Amino acid sequence: MEQPFQHHLPPPEWKQTDAIDRATGSTFRVNFQGDLPSYASSSSSSSSFDSLPHQVDDQAPDQEEETVLVFLHGAGHTGVSWTLPCIELGTLIGMTHDASPPALLMLAPDLPFHGQTKVVPNDGDMSMKRLVKELLSCLKACLQVDEEGEKGRKRRRSLTLVGHSVGGACAIRLAQEPGLAALGTLKGICVVDMVEGAAMASLSHMHDKLREVPQSFESVEAAIEWSLGAGH
């Protein structure tokens, strides 16, 4: 019997939710470990939260700094591909299913036109400019509002971007976006297995690559075999 991967629940340490940009109606599937604000889902069910203005007093010395690690997958994959690396990283730094460092959050969204992310307009524009624009909207929807809303207490926030292949190219471009500063201070970028020229060139063939991804597999082993054979 075939096993559609989108129906497989992630491990309990690795949760999923949907972030909605109310301005455009785009919905971003976000895999995460750590604590999202109270208006976001803390289980594998979906929820939505707005993209609203964010103001942080970075000069306040008594504020606890929040660390956010953002993981961006490669072409043809989804945020789920970061599940095992993030769980292992969480184990190394003391995150567990029952207890996580209170100021640490790991996010791995499905890129635009990938997985369960649905961007508006759905016009097939996979230019780097569009990908970065949507990713910035995704992060704003995830991070900008705390449990008290816009008027609540805001913590200082540091960001680290981690990207694989095309995700690495997105991370580099995202780091240059002026709007990223509203979310926090960029502390680092980690790029995995990326030749930027090849990553950029692959964008024009992205639709073909996505069409090659099977909707289901006969077994987990078949999925692994396909993934290795597809050169991912």
Side-chain angles (χ1 to χ4, degrees):
M1 179 180 296
E2 291 189 341
Q3 306 176 32
F5 268 27
Q6 60 266 33
H7 293 162
H8 284 201
L9 293 177
E13 299 90 339
W14 197 232
K15 307 176 183 70
Q16 293 182 331
T17 192
D18 288 336
I20 299 177
D21 181 356
R22 299 292 184 185
T24 65
S26 294
T27 302
F28 304 93
R29 175 59 54 87
V30 181
N31 304 272
F32 69 96
Q33 184 172 2
D35 293 327
L36 283 174
S38 62
Y39 50 76
S41 172
S42 59
S43 67
S44 295
S45 62
S46 296
S47 64
S48 63
F49 34 103
D50 296 337
S51 176
L52 296 175
H54 179 63
Q55 297 178 350
V56 177
D57 180 6
D58 286 324
Q59 304 303 316
D62 58 342
Q63 287 182 329
E64 181 183 19
E65 182 173 88
E66 178 185 26
T67 299
V68 178
L69 309 180
V70 180
F71 296 85
L72 304 176
H73 63 79
H77 283 232
T78 70
V80 174
S81 63
W82 288 106
T83 301
L84 294 182
C86 286
I87 289 177
E88 181 65 21
L89 178 60
T91 299
L92 292 174
I93 59 182
M95 300 178 74
T96 67
H97 175 42
D98 297 321
S100 301
L104 178 63
L105 176 63
M106 293 191 285
L107 301 172
D110 289 359
L111 264 58
F113 306 102
H114 288 69
Q116 300 302 308
T117 286
K118 308 297 181 184
V119 295
V120 179
N122 183 18
D123 55 6
D125 178 7
M126 289 194 185
S127 66
M128 183 57 64
K129 181 178 180 180
R130 175 71 183 281
L131 294 179
V132 170
K133 174 181 178 294
E134 297 293 352
L135 284 171
L136 185 59
S137 296
C138 174
L139 294 181
K140 286 181 178 180
C142 288
L143 301 176
Q144 282 191 338
V145 183
D146 68 11
E147 59 196 29
E148 297 297 329
E150 182 182 353
K151 296 180 180 180
R153 182 178 69 87
K154 308 297 189 298
R155 293 185 295 195
R156 291 176 296 161
R157 179 183 292 122
S158 68
L159 303 171
T160 297
L161 307 178
V162 183
H164 168 240
S165 188
V166 168
C170 289
I172 291 173
R173 297 302 193 282
L174 185 60
Q176 302 173 50
E177 281 293 304
L180 191 67
L183 301 179
T185 302
L186 182 64
K187 291 294 183 71
I189 303 176
C190 177
V191 176
V192 182
D193 191 22
M194 187 203 74
V195 177
E196 187 170 7
M200 296 296 290
S202 71
L203 292 176
S204 61
H205 307 292
M206 189 77 73
H207 287 289
D208 292 335
K209 182 177 290 289
L210 292 176
R211 279 193 289 267
E212 294 172 358
V213 178
Q215 296 300 307
S216 60
F217 298 91
E218 294 181 354
S219 65
V220 172
E221 290 75 17
I224 295 173
E225 182 178 356
W226 174 85
S227 184
L228 294 175
H232 295 312

